[in-house]
């Protein structure tokens, strides 16, 4: 049985969460909670759940994107010429943090991006 498209779940999500629709994401939160959920709308993220790893977040065990997928996403975001400069800088910082924590992922980062990192 295939899973329903996320769009079909939005009305139900709105019953429990405040839902904000952005160009590339749906953002969910609930007043009084520290949990923020961001649902990506770009096709690049379609297979991320298949490779997700379970971690404890705010006392709950939930699937979290695999580090390799995070690196790929951050590299793609950084290389997007339409992205605001401050967002690109944050992407670069996130890439740096990820490859410091997971050095085996460094080959996923193109040389042009690596040269922008302070190591």
């Amino acid at each position: 049985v295939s899973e329903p498209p996320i769009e079909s779940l939005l009305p139900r999500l709105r019953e429990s969460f405040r839902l904000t629709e952005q160009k590339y994401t749906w953002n969910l939160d609930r007043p009084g909670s520290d949990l923020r959920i961001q649902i990506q709308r770009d096709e690049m993220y379609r297979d991320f759940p298949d490779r997700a790893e379970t971690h404890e977040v705010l006392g709950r065990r939930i699937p979290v994107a695999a580090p390799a997928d995070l690196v790929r996403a951050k590299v793609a975001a950084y290389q997007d010429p339409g992205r605001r400069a401050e967002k690109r800088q944050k992407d670069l910082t996130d890439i740096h943090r990820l490859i410091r924590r997971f050095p085996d992922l460094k080959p996923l980062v193109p040389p042009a991006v690596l040269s922008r990192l302070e190591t």
Side-chain angles (χ1 to χ4, degrees), residues 90-103:
K90 182 182 179 307
D91 296 326
L92 198 60
T93 299
D94 290 342
I95 293 166
H96 190 219
R97 288 179 180 150
L98 283 162
I99 63 172
R100 283 183 67 192
R101 172 71 175 86
F102 304 99

Side-chain angles (χ1 to χ4, degrees), residues 47-67:
D47 295 329
F48 279 29
D50 296 335
R51 295 183 294 271
E53 302 169 355
T54 302
H55 293 278
E56 188 167 319
V57 178
L58 299 174
R60 301 248 183 199
R61 297 199 49 82
I62 62 170
V64 176

